[in-house]
Amino acid sequence: MASKQAVHMKHGQGETSYARNSSFQKAEQNRMKPLIEEVITDLCSSTSTLLHGKIVIADLGCSSGPNALALVSTAINAIHNHCLQLQQPPPEIFVLLNDLPDTDFNTVVKSLVTLRQSKNPVVVTGVAPGSFYERLFTSNSLHVVCASNSLQWLSKAPEDLTRNRIPAFDIDEHARREMLPMVREAYEKQFRKDFKLFLELRAKELVSGGRMVISLVGTRSDVIASKFSLFPGIVAQILSVMVAEGVIDKAKFDSFYVPLHGPSIEEVREIIKEEGSFFIKEMRVHDPTAEMNIALSSPSKFVNNLIALFEPIIVQHFGEVMDEFVRAAELHWSLDVDGSLREERVRTSRAMLVVSLAKA
């Protein structure tokens, strides 16, 4: 297994690209807008926070496609409207977009041109490739940080599993149920480590009084942890069928890990409090059943969403197996043996978490 997984969405504008299969993420960004607008109002009303008439906004994990500019555009519009209402000159705005180096930055940079065309307020743009689990910006340089639908992705697969060669999803059902508590604990431990580091790094980069609005896919607190997270679990089930058919090697399957964890709201709140650099201004939880219904409503939408999210890490680990994966995924949708897809369409076990934070 490669030391670094290709954790990026599928490039391009094709039918199975992330750009064409990100309506779920767009809906979540729309729910973030009121919190971002509140943050901008607070900052623009505070003369101590803005530095010499400038404001720096960073979107971490921006990906590519139509959603890449959604959050920063919301912030820019909020700045413009606030200053127009108060009849005061707007600050100059510096917008920074970040994602991993393998992201389709050609598309991102082209989209940035639309922001630079603004004359009032003045908008300067830039990109910052790299992991948001590392330092990205100079100390005390940012005023606003946004991160949408990205923090559920871990920096790497849980070390407790990879180091001890424990499969995340054992093909044997009995063994899988026996190992599930250990597997979940390993993913929770890795999320805690990563999220705590994320908060520490952003605290160094934000100015005093700086703000952050984040959203991530989580798990409802009332859900009994008896199954794997929906999409990683489905991917594992599909790949296990391909093992049984001899398409992929079992040893290769056992060493495959999806670095993804959906925390509960209690996990997120506890880590923020424990790390101590931020205090929570507002936390919202909502049920994404409507968006899940769309994602799971037909074989083509179901398969396209899986490909857009997971093709890069599947191909990196197993090679060119996507034709077989698509066939097995379509069969999985039509059979839905364990009822997980029907269950998610009725009442999803997912929860979308949105948190507004202020630097302490």
Side-chain angles (χ1 to χ4, degrees), residues 221-356:
S221 301
D222 61 335
V223 173
I224 299 174
S226 59
K227 294 185 178 181
F228 288 85
S229 297
L230 175 64
F231 281 117
I234 288 172
V235 169
Q237 289 172 20
I238 293 167
L239 292 171
S240 69
V241 170
M242 294 167 65
V243 171
E245 294 175 345
V247 176
I248 57 179
D249 182 68
K250 183 179 182 300
K252 200 76 171 172
F253 173 81
D254 287 343
S255 63
F256 179 68
Y257 304 90
V258 178
L260 194 64
H261 174 67
S264 68
I265 188 171
E266 288 80 13
E267 280 181 79
V268 172
R269 184 184 287 114
E270 181 181 317
I271 296 168
I272 293 170
K273 183 177 180 181
E274 179 183 301
E275 193 279 326
S277 297
F278 295 87
F279 61 88
I280 299 171
K281 297 284 287 186
E282 188 170 351
M283 180 177 281
R284 299 181 180 180
V285 184
H286 63 267
D287 181 353
T289 298
E291 290 82 7
M292 294 299 300
N293 282 340
I294 294 172
L296 302 174
S297 62
S298 70
S300 61
K301 289 181 179 179
F302 168 68
V303 173
N304 288 349
N305 273 278
L306 288 182
I307 294 173
L309 291 172
F310 298 108
E311 178 175 312
I313 60 173
I314 291 173
V315 170
Q316 183 190 37
H317 191 78
F318 296 105
E320 297 298 331
V321 297
M322 290 311 296
D323 287 345
E324 293 86 351
F325 181 86
V326 168
R327 177 190 55 76
E330 290 173 343
L331 181 63
H332 182 87
W333 191 93
S334 64
L335 296 177
D336 191 18
V337 174
D338 67 350
S340 59
L341 300 183
R342 288 191 301 274
E343 180 182 323
E344 290 291 330
R345 287 200 291 270
V346 173
R347 187 182 183 216
T348 181
S349 60
R350 301 299 97 205
M352 297 305 302
L353 313 180
V354 184
V355 190
S356 178

Side-chain angles (χ1 to χ4, degrees), residues 106-153:
N106 286 333
T107 302
V108 173
V109 170
K110 288 176 183 178
S111 66
L112 281 173
V113 174
T114 60
L115 293 184
R116 292 180 61 88
Q117 291 171 346
S118 172
K119 302 299 181 184
N120 188 24
V122 174
V123 179
V124 178
T125 61
V127 295
S131 168
F132 50 54
Y133 296 120
E134 300 170 352
R135 275 295 294 270
L136 294 168
F137 310 106
T138 56
S139 299
N140 303 305
S141 61
L142 305 178
H143 297 91
V144 181
V145 170
C146 300
S148 171
N149 298 288
S150 52
L151 283 164
Q152 67 270 10
W153 289 98

Side-chain angles (χ1 to χ4, degrees), residues 45 89 94 172 175 197 255 324:
S45 302
F94 187 19
D172 180 79
L197 176 61
S255 63
E324 293 86 351

Side-chain angles (χ1 to χ4, degrees), residues 149-170:
N149 298 288
S150 52
L151 283 164
Q152 67 270 10
W153 289 98
L154 306 175
S155 65
K156 58 184 175 182
E159 291 180 336
D160 289 353
L161 301 183
T162 57
R163 184 175 57 248
N164 297 305
R165 298 184 180 182
I166 299 171
F169 189 95
D170 201 296

